[in-house]
Structure formats: structure tokens, C-alpha cells
Amino acid sequence: MLHTLGNLTLTGYNSEYSDRPFREKKTMDGGFVVSPLRLNEGLGQTPVWNKQSIEKRADKLAKLAKDVWSYPDLSDVVLSKYKEQPKALSVNTLDNFDYLQNGKPSRKLFDAIRKEILAIDSVVYEEILKYYIAYKAETNFVDIVPLADSLSLALNMPFENLYDPEGVALNVAGLGHWGNGEVEVKINSVGQIPYALSLINQSFEHQMGNGRGEE
């Protein structure tokens, strides 16, 4: 119930209240008993602060909010003037990529690494964009650009933070390229996928706050 409506209020004495018991917060100097704020009406007379008290106050504030910010009663004719017309959605699929058509060399490579990326964590999801395929958690951590017989991987992390003992990554900071981030890695065989995944995992961990160099 900590951050729910019924348990929230305003006060100029937050540091003085600290983690004191509710009964002290009511009766101390500046306590709820003497609060001039309408938002705090009734708190000074509430005997205990528990789940039932919080739910009761939440219901009271919700009803008050409906009166203060009432929904406008407008006719359909008036509303129609401001109603936004739905825009046609552009739906991208793998069929939009020439190099990912079935039978193309890059498709087998893509299917193999795609499966591994989605298995990194349950929060990972795929978004197919016009020029690349993005894999996201909080935001993009790796983007795949299909090429004729290879894949270009864009890792969204600082180049200097990447641990790349084989030296396959390129620093593309400041250079124009599809995808997000400073790191580019190209692979052209399934055998390169395990090492590429070790780099992709670093980008994922960096985004989730566990990257190298993070405090």
C-alpha cells in the first residue's frame, strides 16, 4: 500500500515525521491534527493507520478527484471536431528484407542468432524495423542489419567498455550506420555466433545496469 493514493499526502514536515509511528505523526508539532491542508482532513481523527484506513481514504480522495476533475459532457458533434483520425500502420516483417528470404545465406545465420538473443532473458523482445531488426529490454541493446552473406550487429554500449579479446568489434562512434550504439560486429558463419553472443550479452548487461565499468 506504500505508493497507493490513500497512503500519499503533502506535508512541510516530512523530515520531522521520518519513520515515527502514526500516533506521533498526528500529535507532534505540525502533525496531522493541526494540518491546514484539506488533503489531510480526517487524518488527525483516524485512530490507526492500516490497510482498511488507507483504502477508506483512497476511496474518499478518488470520489473527490472525480468532482474536481469532472469529465466534460460534450456532444458527439463537438467531439468529432477534435477526434484524431487513425493513421495507417506500417507493418514491417522479415519478408521486407531481401537478404532474409528463405534460401538466402544470411537467413540461416539470422535464424540461429535470433533464437539465442531471444533466450538471453524473458524481458528481451524483437521489433522489426525498416532497415534492421532490433532486440530490446529497456531499449535496443543489439540491432541486426542483414547483408548479402553476413549480418552486421550494432551493440548499444560504449566501445571502450567492451571486452573483446579477439578484436572483432569496430568502433563506429560518429559514423553513419544503421542501428544504435558505438560497436559494430560482423559475422558470416554459424561458428562465430557463440563469440558474438558473448559481446551481445555485454551490451545487454550494460543496459540493465550490470555492465563493465558500472558502479
Side-chain angles (χ1 to χ4, degrees):
M1 308 296 287
L2 182 63
H3 299 299
T4 61
L5 176 63
N7 198 46
L8 299 174
T9 191
L10 296 173
T11 175
Y13 301 91
N14 194 55
S15 58
E16 288 85 351
Y17 286 175
S18 185
D19 57 354
R20 294 174 183 237
F22 177 66
R23 62 180 180 277
E24 293 184 23
K25 292 181 180 181
K26 289 196 299 180
T27 57
M28 61 183 286
D29 290 341
F32 292 127
V33 169
V34 296
S35 175
L37 298 179
R38 289 187 60 190
L39 185 63
N40 293 331
E41 284 182 0
L43 287 179
Q45 291 72 47
T46 302
V48 294
W49 196 244
N50 54 22
K51 184 174 184 290
Q52 290 71 32
S53 301
I54 294 173
E55 290 177 340
K56 181 178 179 180
R57 182 167 178 267
D59 185 61
K60 173 184 174 182
L61 292 178
K63 291 177 180 177
L64 177 62
K66 287 175 65 178
D67 292 335
V68 174
W69 296 288
S70 59
Y71 191 87
D73 184 14
L74 301 175
S75 69
D76 290 339
V77 174
V78 174
L79 288 174
S80 65
K81 296 179 181 179
Y82 303 98
K83 186 175 295 184
E84 184 176 351
Q85 298 301 315
K87 298 178 181 179
L89 297 177
S90 176
V91 179
N92 296 300
T93 69
L94 295 180
D95 292 335
N96 296 118
F97 295 88
D98 291 338
Y99 298 135
L100 291 184
Q101 302 304 308
N102 288 327
K104 294 291 183 73
S106 295
R107 182 56 187 259
K108 179 180 179 181
L109 192 57
F110 174 77
D111 287 342
I113 198 168
R114 175 197 207 184
K115 178 181 178 182
E116 298 296 334
I117 293 173
L118 291 172
I120 288 175
D121 193 278
S122 60
V123 301
V124 175
Y125 64 98
E126 177 185 77
E127 184 175 359
I128 302 175
L129 302 173
K130 185 175 182 180
Y131 297 109
Y132 59 88
I133 301 96
Y135 294 89
K136 304 183 176 187
E138 295 177 352
T139 186
N140 304 41
F141 64 91
V142 60
D143 302 320
I144 298 180
V145 180
L147 303 175
D149 56 0
S150 62
L151 301 175
S152 176
L153 314 178
L155 307 185
N156 195 6
M157 66 178 295
F159 182 81
E160 63 270 16
N161 287 9
L162 184 72
Y163 179 64
D164 176 26
E166 295 188 10
V168 301
L170 297 176
N171 186 347
V172 293
L175 302 178
H177 64 97
W178 297 122
N180 299 271
E182 299 181 359
V183 181
E184 181 182 71
V185 178
K186 289 186 178 179
I187 60 173
N188 53 30
S189 71
V190 173
Q192 294 174 305
I193 290 179
Y195 184 76
L197 281 170
S198 72
L199 306 180
I200 293 170
N201 268 289
Q202 291 180 58
S203 183
F204 174 77
E205 293 295 333
H206 177 83
Q207 184 183 119
M208 302 304 288
N210 301 315
R212 294 170 63 87
E214 296 285 339
E215 294 184 359

